[in-house]
Amino acid sequence: MSTEIELLAHLDQLHTTELGVGRIKSNLSLDTEDVVEWCREKIQSKQAVITRKGKNWYIHVDACILTVNAHSYTIITAHKEKPYPKNSP
């Protein structure tokens, strides 16, 4: 099973901790009550690019990066992507 399909097949198990909710809201300046559902929608987006490195999945979507543990489906953190410097290749 490909990484992307594996994560999408287990979205019902997606969760985070109370500290994770605060961290994600703060890092992304979110004003939503259901952070997990917000993340679930982003992961399901057609624009989402899902990769796996080691024990985590990284989802790049809408200028954000979500980090999800590949074994527990815990959303660890999320942050805004840093723009590339103008002189970068």
Side-chain angles (χ1 to χ4, degrees), residues 29-68:
S29 304
L30 291 182
D31 184 26
T32 182
E33 291 302 313
D34 194 343
V35 170
V36 173
E37 184 58 31
W38 185 91
C39 290
R40 189 176 285 125
E41 289 173 8
K42 291 296 181 182
I43 293 168
Q44 293 178 73
S45 167
K46 291 184 183 210
Q47 291 79 29
V49 176
I50 301 170
T51 57
R52 182 169 173 176
K53 290 184 182 178
K55 65 181 182 174
N56 293 328
W57 279 298
Y58 298 91
I59 301 92
H60 295 253
V61 61
D62 296 340
C64 298
I65 303 171
L66 310 175
T67 304
V68 177

Side-chain angles (χ1 to χ4, degrees), residues 1-14 39-40 43-44 48-52 56-59 66-75:
M1 183 180 292
S2 79
T3 299
E4 182 175 345
I5 293 170
E6 185 179 345
L7 177 58
L8 294 173
H10 293 94
L11 282 181
D12 60 320
Q13 296 178 39
L14 196 67
C39 290
R40 189 176 285 125
I43 293 168
Q44 293 178 73
V49 176
I50 301 170
T51 57
R52 182 169 173 176
N56 293 328
W57 279 298
Y58 298 91
I59 301 92
L66 310 175
T67 304
V68 177
N69 181 278
H71 301 290
S72 66
Y73 302 100
T74 304
I75 308 163

Side-chain angles (χ1 to χ4, degrees), residues 63 80-86 88:
K80 296 177 183 177
E81 284 189 292
K82 295 179 182 155
Y84 289 105
K86 291 183 180 183
S88 289

